[in-house]
Amino acid sequence: MGEEMVRERDARAYEAVHDAADFTELKRRYKNFVVPWTIAFMAWYLAYVACNNWARGFMSHKIGGSHINVALVFGLLQFVSTFVIAALYGRFANRKLDPLAHGLNAKYKRERRR
């Protein structure tokens, strides 16, 4: 089979998947998860940065009389929130995205065989 025929077959298969309602739904679900969580995380991160710059008294406040202060706790919570969002995304993707993606992958493979 010539290279041009392979490209044409692959392009038709891609177009068939791209035009599928499941592909549109997959993109919609992905955006509906990613955009709000990205905004939330960026707001949280920028609040941390802003507090470190302009609320130094608050950030240097000791917690429980120890050497741990609010800034250290906020910094650690940045890591925690990153892992929590990643775990939530993993669960979301397994339940809501992967079934659609597997179906679209099967459709692509069928279309390529034509």
Side-chain angles (χ1 to χ4, degrees), residues 55-102:
R56 291 182 184 253
F58 169 70
M59 294 300 271
S60 64
H61 180 76
K62 302 283 184 196
I63 296 176
S66 66
H67 294 290
I68 297 172
N69 62 17
V70 173
L72 179 63
V73 172
F74 272 32
L76 292 173
L77 287 174
Q78 290 291 314
F79 285 103
V80 171
S81 62
T82 300
F83 289 110
V84 167
I85 293 170
L88 289 171
Y89 177 76
R91 281 186 51 212
F92 174 78
N94 286 335
R95 288 184 295 117
K96 301 288 186 177
L97 301 181
D98 289 351
L100 287 174
H102 291 307

Side-chain angles (χ1 to χ4, degrees), residues 3 14-15 20 23 25 30 36-38 48 54 64 76 92 112:
E3 186 176 325
Y14 176 78
E15 286 175 19
F23 186 72
E25 179 63 16
Y30 175 78
W37 279 105
T38 300
Y48 171 65
W54 295 293
L76 292 173
F92 174 78
R112 281 196 74 219

